[in-house]
Amino acid sequence: MHLAYPAVLAVLLFCVGVYGVLARRNAILVLMSVELMLNAVNLNLVAFDVWLRDVVHSGQALTLFTITIAAAEIGLGLAIVLLVYRNRGSSDVDRLTDLAEPPEHGAPGHGDGTASGAGAADGTAADQNAEATA
Amino acid sequence: MNDTLDVLLRLVGVLVVFLVFPLLVGQTEHKVMAHMQGRLGPMYAGGFHGWAQLVADGVKFAQKEDVVPAEADRRIFQLAPAIALLPYLVVLIAIPVGPDGFVGQALDAGLFFVLAVMGVGVLGSLIAGWASANKFSLLGGLRTAAQLMAYELPMLLTAASVAMAAGTLSLPGIVESYHWWWTPWQIVGGLVFFTAGLAELQRPPFDMPVADSEIIFGAYTEYTGLRFALFLLAEYAGIVVLCALTTVLFLGGWHGPWSDGLGWLWTLVKTAALAFVVIWLRVSYPRLREDQLQKLAWTVLIPLSLAQIALTGVVKVVIS
Amino acid sequence: MTLTALAALVPLLPFLGAAAGLLLGRRAPGFVRPLAVLPTATSFVLAAVVAARQGTGDPTDAAHKLADTGSAPIYLALHLDGFAVLIAVLVGLVATCVQLYSTAYLRDDPRYPSYAALVSLFTAAMFLVVYSGDLMVLLVGWEIMGICSYFLVGHYWETETARSASIKAFLVTKLGDVPFLIGVFALAADAGTFRINGILTAATHGQLHHPTVIALLLLAGVAGKSAQFPLHTWLPDAMAGPTPVSALIHAATMVAAGIYLVARLLPVFTASAAALAVLAAMAAVTMIGSGLAALAQDDIKRVLAYSTIGQLGYMAAALAVGDRDAAVFHLLSHGAFKALLFLGAGVVIHAAGTNSLTTMSRTGSLAKRVPDAMWTMGIALAALAALPPLSGFFSKESVLRAAEHASAGDTAHVPQAVGWTVFVAGLAAAVLTAGYATRLFLLAFRGSGPDAPDHGRQPVVMTSVLWVLAVPTIAFGGLAYRELPDWFGGAPLGPTLLTSVLGTGLALVGVLITYGAWKAVAATRLAVPAGAVVTAEGDADAEPALVEAEAIATHEEVYGDIAAADDPGDPGRLLLGRLHRHAAHGFHLDALYGALFVRPVLAAAQLVRFLDRDVIETYVRGAGGAPRLLGAAVRKAQTGNIQTYLSALLAGAVVLAVLVAVGG
Amino acid sequence: MNHVAAHHPGFLSPTGVEITFVLVGLATLGAALLTVTTRQLVHAALWLVVALGGLAVEYLLLTAEFIAWVQVLIYVGSVVVLLLFGLMLTKAPIGRSPDADSENRWVALGVAAAAAVTLVWVVVDAFRSTWVDLHGVVQGSSHATGESLFRHWVLPFEALSVLLLAALVGAIVLSRRDGESAGAGSTSGTGKEKS
């Protein structure tokens, strides 16, 4: 078999994963895309391992490790996502912009009717969540 | 050509087993439960002791309207029973019945294959619960998934113990290397495996996720007719698979007197005996609460299975 | 203990006292007074012992190399000769008196600890200047005095007057110090050493290459420190400081330092006839101008300040005619009576509740209230006016004698014209001196009218100090003029018949004229009340310093001018006629300076401020604005959206990969 | 590889395995594309199952049998279940979510496409004529994999167990609700399952 087939498939899967990571809004979908990227790498590892007929099977061993780490990653990642969801009522990646540069003239408060859309949505979501947990 | 015919024959055999055995188990359950509870059970269908009751049930299910809730995710809703059922069919391929290749397909990593594919079955319940657009279903689905994840671990660990003992992952290979003293050696593992399997099948007393009196049959609340029957079928197929696996892994499979000729019979007998135990347990024990379920898995079964692995390892080193 | 060690202790003790006072001042108030008085008094005793042991013997020198500069090493050098030890005794005496006086004068001042420590430091610095045998070390003391004078003059920093006076004193003396410093370096460069002995040897042997330049540069510093025309303007304003500080500055330390330095370095000056001429002109202008100004001042302390300037002019004149013996003689006797005058003025101000002579002339009871001050000040004023047989007479006669000697062309290196200038100016100044001394006495103690508010009995310490100082005022000149030539190793200092007759006669003329004028305007004085006059009413037990501070602070409000009062009953007004107004303002020298220097400097500062704010700042703002705009643009990229960041990151990675793939 | 170079097949001489590989690969790729583009969140997870299963088949075709079953066991059996779990706990709606993709999608598309073009170009350029020999000793049997794993990779394997333990502890710690009563319903119960 041509090595190009698995290699190209891996590349395409990886890029699909890249697209998902960059474009998806829901954090869990982002995690799925990450899994796709990891699997693309795994495919590469396996294909090259078979091609090279590696005596120590480093490719397959590394694939196993990657799968294990991916499982651990997904566990932790989901725990984080659930925590975020619990605290904010949303798991949208592009709403988690606490590290953004604050607006020039200070964000209007919650009581302010002119609150920006995202800020208001966040605020109300957080409020609802607070009520729900209270 | 011969090969193709051989493969075809094997597959047909597996299919037949898959279609017949679960029904047998179901019928047995009817009768055994009835007798254990001091009642007659259904007696009319077919005449003799109501032998055709299951067939009648099937006809009834087939006649019922296949309702899909308006809010449900239609395709997934319809797909879920198949996802729940198919893995057991696939698993059956790899389970050896008798010596000398009396098996659907001997796989190098058969044990692994079996466990992996059985793990897929959980998806069926999960998406069934979600796709029903019913909060009881969702809760049931979540509980099912949680339970399966929890009991998967002791199951895998005890299976690993057997694989260590046999030195192979191939199911026929495991049975071949069986000795009588394996049963006492792996007895703890066997019990854990069987218990965990019961829990995976959501059989009583581990049927909290589908408890009809608590959450209205959990993930299957919205299912009617044939699709519901498929879920039931998956459950009984699961019993068959579990009992067969336990037989193969812990009870020596075809080993027994006159095993050269009657090996397949030994396997079937042992499987049937285990299936009887499964039914017996359903009648004997009350349902465990959800938290008790989790607690049993995490605080009893997993430590026990780890201890079994340790024991296996020690003995293996000693005798080698 | 060796002489050197004793001499070293003299400046060291007040210095340690000052350090201890500054450290302990707040924590142990009980130690402050002993720490102020005892080291100074001990130094005085030690200075006297050093003087006695040094005596008329050869100069004592001791040196320890302090720093090797590569060309002219700096030595920690002591040089003890007749001048040094005698001036040190004077410094010790005056400083001790001032410290004693201050204990009473500033008894309740919360800042007394730092004040006393600064006075001690001042004294130490002056001792250092006097004893130092190295110009660099001398300069250290010189600058310490400048700093201390800044702090001490500004003691009442709550008042605007004191603040500006202290800054003025500092700036004007620094103005002189800068050329002085250059002069010192030029001198050292020419002579190859900072040691004064070496410099003098070089000067005597004519090894200085630029004697005129150096002498003029040094003269600038001397004029600043010793308040000679045209850098004298800080001194009258420095009267805003407490009276003891004025006494210290005027009598023995700061102003004496300049004269002492010229006396020490006289060979450098005599090497240049031009420098002597300049010095003589300076002295002449100073003497006459200050006499006229003193005659017009209303503030009793300002009168004394101008008199100090005038007497320093005498000393400078003596130096101009090459007679440092006379100069130092006059310095010594002047130190004694001027300290007495200032300390007495402090008592008077306290008693009168004002520093205005106009007000005092309308106050009847002052003579009765402070008899000690009246008698001692009377003696001191007579000494100031050079009436025989007080010490001022002898010392001034020695100056006049030297001038006369020079005018006859008998002094080497000194041009005859210089001698004549000095002689004539000295005689004219004698008249003026007698005049303003008489005016001061008459206005202060011979006033008539209602009693001033009573401020209680004068502290015994203050009055007794006055009598202590009265002793040298009376006796020093007569006793010392025969001995001093032995100490100084110079020509006789005794009065000659011609100068005695001329000087005394002119002084008497001045006294009589003033008295006549005073009598002449008596009627006017009685007729014209001095308006809102009396200040510092109220608490009878108020601290003297407080009374003075209030008097200084309110003077301008009441009389409209810190220097003068528009009083038709003032004899000085009658005598000066139209000149009075100009004299009262120090001949508008301050205004001239204001126009010549202050305003251009302020304008330049305005220009600089404009350039800085509107020109340079524009560039700075522009330089800041561009990055800020850039930052704002870049900041827009910080959306907080991880996916955006990741996109950019991966896009960059792709670009790099392409570059590597293509380029590699 | 060298010993097969003599009868090196041409670039376009597909064998049966290759055809299967390509077909399964296309299915996998399609499923992956649907995973990242579908607007129904749970469908994305199910498409992910298909994609991962397809990859397992590809592993089988590459004779890496053990890896294939591990893939099924871990990914399909656990990871996807966890993902579904997460979706359901975060109240994933049934039907299309209009905002499944962020504003960033065109940039993402550009970056992904550029990366794909670049990498495909590079990979094809590099491995155009490289041939994988799938005959002979099976490369990925459980025996071979186990031997290499426990003969050459024991230390990394053990290190990995520590990592898993750390992840377990981390997930538990993250899932605990501080300051609330312990019996907080099903979420606290399922929190354990994530590890």
Side-chain angles (χ1 to χ4, degrees):
Chain A
M1 181 158 60
H2 279 294
L3 184 57
Y5 291 128
V8 169
L9 179 62
V11 164
L12 293 177
L13 274 180
F14 184 84
C15 292
V16 168
V18 165
Y19 171 77
V21 167
L22 298 185
R24 287 304 215 174
R25 177 170 267 164
N26 190 307
I28 296 177
L29 293 182
V30 172
L31 282 177
M32 287 183 200
S33 310
V34 170
E35 294 304 315
L36 275 180
M37 290 164 72
L38 285 170
N39 270 289
V41 173
N42 285 350
L43 180 59
N44 250 351
L45 284 172
V46 169
F48 279 82
D49 182 76
V50 174
W51 168 46
L52 292 171
R53 299 201 158 265
D54 190 2
V55 181
V56 296
H57 286 305
S58 37
Q60 297 193 25
L62 274 178
T63 307
L64 285 175
F65 293 164
T66 313
I67 291 174
T68 318
I69 291 169
E73 172 242 319
I74 214 79
L76 273 181
L78 275 176
I80 291 170
V81 170
L82 287 182
L83 207 60
V84 168
Y85 182 79
R86 203 185 289 161
N87 284 333
R88 296 176 182 254
S90 160
S91 53
D92 288 354
V93 175
D94 56 354
R95 291 242 182 99
L96 306 175
T97 55
D98 286 1
L99 288 181
E101 184 74 18
E104 283 287 332
H105 303 292
H110 282 308
D112 196 336
T114 61
S116 64
D122 275 351
T124 50
D127 288 348
Q128 281 168 2
N129 197 50
E131 283 163 19
T133 52
Chain B
M1 202 60 210
N2 218 4
D3 280 357
T4 317
L5 193 68
D6 184 46
V7 167
L8 213 62
L9 268 177
R10 285 169 192 267
L11 288 183
V12 168
V14 168
L15 193 62
V16 168
V17 168
F18 178 72
L19 290 178
V20 173
F21 277 42
L23 293 181
L24 280 177
V25 173
Q27 180 67 7
T28 313
E29 188 175 30
H30 280 184
K31 298 288 31 156
V32 170
M33 270 177 71
H35 285 288
M36 282 182 170
Q37 292 169 341
R39 58 186 169 88
L40 293 180
M43 292 293 279
Y44 299 101
F48 176 71
H49 276 268
W51 66 268
Q53 178 59 42
L54 218 59
V55 178
D57 277 351
V59 172
K60 181 194 74 178
F61 277 129
Q63 282 174 333
K64 279 186 174 177
E65 186 191 358
D66 184 17
V67 176
V68 179
E71 293 292 312
D73 191 324
R74 194 173 189 85
R75 267 187 300 170
I76 305 248
F77 185 84
Q78 290 167 342
L79 195 64
I83 296 179
L85 187 56
L86 273 179
Y88 294 115
L89 172 61
V90 175
V91 164
L92 274 180
I93 294 175
I95 293 179
V97 180
D100 307 323
F102 195 175
V103 59
Q105 172 68 47
L107 290 167
D108 174 40
L111 180 59
F112 223 83
F113 167 77
V114 168
L115 293 172
V117 174
M118 274 174 74
V120 177
V122 67
L123 278 176
S125 298
L126 196 56
I127 63 174
W130 175 79
S132 302
N134 177 319
K135 65 177 88 167
F136 291 109
S137 299
L138 184 60
L139 262 181
L142 285 175
R143 283 186 181 186
T144 307
Q147 184 165 326
L148 262 60
M149 302 289 303
Y151 284 90
E152 184 94 0
L153 200 53
M155 213 171 163
L156 278 172
L157 288 172
T158 47
S161 161
V162 174
M164 272 171 71
T168 176
L169 285 172
S170 158
L171 288 174
I174 287 173
V175 180
E176 256 164 38
S177 51
Y178 178 82
H179 298 284
W180 65 269
W181 46 269
W182 273 34
T183 305
W185 180 22
Q186 301 288 343
I187 186 71
V188 177
L191 288 175
V192 169
F193 185 87
F194 192 62
T195 314
L198 278 183
E200 287 224 354
L201 297 172
Q202 301 162 43
R203 289 288 300 177
F206 304 106
D207 60 342
M208 196 56 168
V210 292
D212 43 1
S213 54
E214 271 99 354
I215 53 173
I216 330 169
F217 235 81
Y220 317 131
T221 304
E222 301 287 355
Y223 281 91
T224 58
L226 209 53
R227 294 187 197 283
F228 183 70
L230 288 180
F231 275 118
L232 283 184
L233 187 62
E235 183 178 338
Y236 290 110
I239 292 173
V240 173
V241 168
L242 171 70
C243 296
L245 262 183
T246 312
T247 305
V248 167
L249 293 179
F250 295 97
L251 299 178
W254 62 76
H255 286 284
W258 308 288
S259 61
D260 291 338
L262 296 173
W264 57 273
L265 191 63
W266 277 114
T267 307
L268 293 185
V269 167
K270 289 173 183 172
T271 307
L274 283 174
F276 175 77
V277 173
V278 170
I279 297 162
W280 190 7
L281 284 174
R282 171 174 178 182
V283 186
S284 309
Y285 283 100
R287 181 177 293 150
L288 265 74
R289 228 169 45 221
E290 183 64 29
D291 58 322
Q292 290 170 334
L293 273 173
Q294 295 291 340
K295 204 168 178 180
L296 180 69
W298 291 99
T299 62
V300 177
L301 296 188
I302 289 179
L304 277 179
S305 54
L306 287 173
Q308 174 66 62
I309 286 188
L311 178 68
T312 308
V314 168
V315 171
K316 191 78 179 162
V317 168
V318 166
I319 65 173
S320 64
Chain C
M1 203 181 271
T2 63
L3 184 63
T4 324
L6 277 181
L9 274 181
V10 171
L12 202 59
L13 280 175
F15 177 76
L16 292 177
L22 280 177
L23 284 176
L24 294 175
R26 286 187 184 281
R27 263 167 278 167
F31 285 111
V32 170
R33 275 157 227 276
L35 273 178
V37 176
L38 285 180
T40 315
T42 316
S43 282
F44 169 47
V45 173
L46 287 178
V49 171
V50 168
R53 299 236 322 236
Q54 170 64 25
T56 55
D58 290 334
T60 307
D61 275 294
H64 171 76
K65 191 187 270 189
L66 203 61
D68 217 337
T69 60
S71 58
I74 297 169
Y75 290 91
L76 189 59
L78 271 175
H79 177 81
L80 303 177
D81 56 8
F83 299 112
V85 294
L86 284 180
I87 292 177
V89 171
L90 172 74
V91 170
L93 172 67
V94 173
T96 307
C97 288
V98 163
Q99 285 283 25
L100 274 173
Y101 186 88
S102 299
T103 57
Y105 195 77
L106 291 142
R107 59 182 176 229
D108 294 327
D109 194 309
R111 290 200 295 274
Y112 175 73
S114 64
Y115 163 85
L118 282 169
V119 169
S120 291
L121 186 60
F122 203 118
T123 313
M126 186 60 195
F127 277 132
L128 190 64
V129 167
V130 170
Y131 279 161
S132 172
D134 188 283
L135 266 185
M136 233 31 218
V137 177
L138 184 146
L139 201 64
V140 171
W142 183 275
E143 294 296 339
I144 291 177
M145 280 199 288
I147 289 286
C148 287
S149 73
Y150 167 75
F151 283 120
L152 288 172
V153 170
H155 184 71
Y156 303 127
W157 49 259
E158 296 92 339
T159 62
E160 171 65 32
T161 325
R163 280 202 298 275
S164 56
S166 64
I167 292 173
K168 187 173 182 182
F170 190 72
L171 285 181
V172 172
T173 51
K174 282 299 145 236
L175 189 65
D177 281 350
V178 175
F180 178 73
L181 191 64
I182 298 170
V184 165
F185 286 139
L187 187 58
D190 271 6
T193 176
F194 282 112
R195 288 291 295 276
I196 292 174
N197 285 345
I199 291 169
L200 294 185
T201 314
T204 323
H205 293 91
Q207 284 160 352
L208 297 181
H209 306 301
H210 321 89
T212 308
V213 176
I214 290 169
L216 289 178
L217 285 170
L218 291 179
L219 269 184
V222 169
K225 267 295 189 265
S226 288
Q228 295 298 290
F229 177 84
L231 294 181
H232 65 277
T233 57
W234 64 272
L235 194 64
D237 286 352
M239 293 305 108
T243 301
V245 172
S246 305
L248 190 65
I249 290 179
H250 288 234
T253 54
M254 182 117 158
V255 295
I259 299 300
Y260 174 73
L261 184 86
V262 181
R264 286 295 299 273
L265 295 177
L266 192 63
V268 177
F269 291 86
T270 50
S272 160
L276 288 181
V278 169
L279 186 59
M282 208 167 80
V285 172
T286 306
M287 280 191 282
I288 296 174
S290 71
L292 291 171
L295 206 50
Q297 299 299 311
D298 179 48
D299 182 343
I300 182 169
K301 282 172 71 185
R302 289 179 75 91
V303 175
L304 296 175
Y306 275 110
S307 87
T308 303
I309 297 173
Q311 299 308 306
L312 289 168
Y314 269 109
M315 297 170 213
L319 293 168
V321 294
D323 192 340
R324 60 175 161 182
D325 304 358
V328 173
F329 184 24
H330 195 50
L331 176 64
L332 292 172
S333 69
H334 168 257
F337 68 70
K338 188 47 64 67
L340 172 55
L341 277 174
F342 270 111
L343 297 182
V347 174
V348 169
I349 291 171
H350 179 216
T354 177
N355 57 2
S356 164
L357 286 173
T358 307
T359 311
M360 290 179 197
S361 68
R362 311 289 201 283
T363 309
S365 58
L366 216 50
K368 273 179 281 168
R369 181 119 26 96
V370 283
D372 303 303
M374 185 192 78
W375 284 112
T376 53
M377 279 188 79
I379 294 167
L381 285 169
L384 175 64
L387 294 178
L390 300 172
S391 59
F393 167 75
F394 289 100
S395 59
K396 195 182 274 183
E397 286 312 315
S398 69
V399 175
L400 288 175
R401 174 187 162 146
E404 187 251 2
H405 201 65
S407 63
D410 294 344
T411 311
H413 312 300
V414 181
Q416 250 180 310
V418 169
W420 275 112
T421 313
V422 168
F423 189 58
V424 172
L427 290 177
V431 181
L432 291 170
T433 308
Y436 64 72
T438 312
R439 169 176 174 267
L440 174 64
F441 186 80
L442 290 174
L443 288 181
F445 297 109
R446 285 281 159 257
S448 53
D451 288 359
D454 195 352
H455 288 95
R457 269 185 62 81
Q458 299 303 318
V460 180
V461 178
M462 284 164 63
T463 47
S464 57
V465 163
L466 296 183
W467 284 111
V468 167
L469 283 170
V471 173
T473 305
I474 297 169
F476 173 72
L479 291 178
Y481 80 91
R482 289 186 199 85
E483 307 292 332
L484 279 178
D486 293 340
W487 291 69
F488 296 159
L493 293 168
T496 61
L497 186 62
L498 173 70
T499 55
S500 311
V501 169
L502 268 178
T504 314
L506 286 172
L508 280 174
V509 167
V511 170
L512 290 174
I513 289 174
T514 313
Y515 185 75
W518 181 69
K519 277 287 184 198
V521 293
T524 327
R525 190 163 57 247
L526 290 176
V528 181
V533 172
V534 178
T535 57
E537 296 187 11
D539 189 5
D541 292 328
E543 184 197 29
L546 199 66
V547 174
E548 187 196 356
E550 283 185 32
I552 293 170
T554 54
H555 189 278
E556 198 163 349
E557 293 168 26
V558 177
Y559 305 103
D561 190 309
I562 56 164
D566 194 13
D567 178 19
D570 185 353
R573 194 181 174 80
L574 182 69
L575 289 174
L576 290 174
R578 291 166 60 189
L579 207 56
H580 179 268
R581 198 166 62 81
H582 308 294
H585 292 96
F587 298 101
H588 305 294
L589 212 56
D590 278 333
L592 182 70
Y593 286 164
L596 276 184
F597 303 113
V598 179
R599 240 182 283 158
V601 166
L602 282 179
Q606 285 277 351
L607 179 69
V608 168
R609 198 174 69 158
F610 164 77
L611 288 175
D612 185 44
R613 284 214 181 144
D614 294 340
V615 180
I616 295 174
E617 193 87 330
T618 310
Y619 289 111
V620 173
R621 282 212 201 92
R628 187 182 297 162
L629 281 176
L630 203 64
V634 173
R635 217 156 48 163
K636 288 263 192 304
Q638 195 188 342
T639 58
N641 190 340
I642 304 162
Q643 290 176 320
T644 321
Y645 301 166
L646 263 182
S647 303
L649 187 72
L650 286 174
V654 168
V655 169
L656 280 181
V658 170
L659 285 180
V660 169
V662 172
Chain D
M1 198 193 97
N2 283 333
H3 63 280
V4 293
H7 45 94
H8 195 287
F11 182 53
L12 286 175
S13 58
T15 62
V17 177
E18 271 182 351
I19 292 168
T20 321
F21 189 94
V22 169
L23 289 178
V24 175
L26 284 177
T28 306
L29 195 59
L33 274 173
L34 284 168
T35 303
V36 297
T37 51
T38 179
R39 286 170 181 253
Q40 306 197 40
L41 304 183
V42 174
H43 288 198
L46 297 179
W47 284 122
L48 183 66
V49 172
V50 177
L52 297 176
L55 269 174
V57 176
E58 303 284 48
Y59 291 152
L60 279 179
L61 291 174
L62 285 169
T63 70
E65 187 188 348
F66 186 77
I67 302 282
W69 300 133
V70 170
Q71 169 93 357
V72 173
L73 184 71
I74 302 290
Y75 271 112
V76 182
S78 307
V79 168
V80 173
V81 172
L82 279 183
L83 287 170
L84 281 171
F85 232 99
L87 282 176
M88 291 174 189
L89 285 178
T90 54
K91 298 182 183 142
I94 290 174
R96 291 163 185 275
S97 314
D99 57 348
D101 288 352
S102 66
E103 307 294 317
N104 203 33
R105 87 182 67 114
W106 295 113
V107 178
L109 188 62
V111 170
V117 169
T118 312
L119 288 176
V120 166
W121 165 46
V122 169
V123 162
V124 167
D125 192 45
F127 303 114
R128 186 167 43 206
S129 57
T130 310
W131 186 256
V132 179
D133 183 18
L134 292 177
H135 304 289
V137 184
V138 176
Q139 292 291 296
S141 70
S142 47
H143 181 77
T145 310
E147 204 167 60
S148 80
L149 203 56
F150 291 106
R151 184 157 292 165
H152 304 287
W153 300 94
V154 174
L155 192 63
F157 188 83
E158 295 300 328
L160 209 59
S161 66
V162 177
L163 180 130
L164 276 178
L165 184 67
L168 177 88
V169 173
I172 290 175
V173 167
L174 279 177
S175 308
R176 283 175 77 98
R177 290 198 184 197
D178 292 330
E180 286 185 29
S181 55
S186 61
T187 26
S188 70
T190 53
K192 280 180 174 175
E193 264 56 67
K194 280 181 226 91
S195 50

